[in-house]
Amino acid sequence: LGNVPLPPYLKRDAVETDVEAYQTVHAKVDGSVAAPTAGLHFSEGVMKDLMQRGVETCRLTLHVGSGTFKPVEAANAQNHAMHSERISVSRDALCHLIASIQNGKPIVP
């Protein structure tokens, strides 16, 4: 139903190929109104290369809210009303992240 929501900075209407292109390789759980754009550059190939280099991964779920498309109009960013987003992280993933931090391993958000 509807079109893939694109960020306003793309300055174009959604096209059919956006259904696949504007999605991350991480998406497993329905509920987000948009892809977390920071993850769009992590293709299957990039993820495979990282794993071959010994990079460990943890899964979490981030449901991006529709407010992600709301431009900041306040002169002072502290006065911009933010929307909420839901995140779900398993206990195992959280423990893995904590252990990685304690062991000085790099964390890539």
Side-chain angles (χ1 to χ4, degrees):
L1 293 173
N3 295 317
V4 174
L6 297 178
Y9 58 80
L10 289 182
K11 297 182 177 148
R12 67 174 177 81
D13 291 331
V15 295
E16 190 173 323
T17 55
D18 288 327
V19 172
E20 289 297 321
Y22 193 64
Q23 185 56 278
T24 69
V25 297
H26 314 291
K28 303 290 182 232
V29 180
D30 290 338
S32 189
V33 301
T37 53
L40 289 172
H41 61 282
F42 285 101
S43 66
E44 293 286 354
V46 168
M47 294 303 296
K48 182 178 178 181
D49 184 52
L50 289 171
M51 286 188 270
Q52 288 174 342
R53 294 173 184 231
V55 174
E56 299 173 7
T57 62
C58 291
R59 292 236 172 243
L60 58 85
T61 299
L62 170 65
H63 289 299
V64 176
S66 59
T68 195
F69 297 109
K70 181 181 178 186
V72 176
E73 296 173 347
N76 183 329
Q78 292 179 329
N79 297 327
H80 176 68
M82 294 296 295
H83 66 286
S84 63
E85 296 180 337
R86 291 188 348 244
I87 187 169
S88 175
V89 183
S90 72
R91 180 180 296 271
D92 287 344
L94 187 58
C95 289
H96 185 84
L97 284 169
I98 291 169
S100 294
I101 291 167
Q102 291 172 339
N103 292 320
K105 292 185 178 180
I107 304 296
V108 180

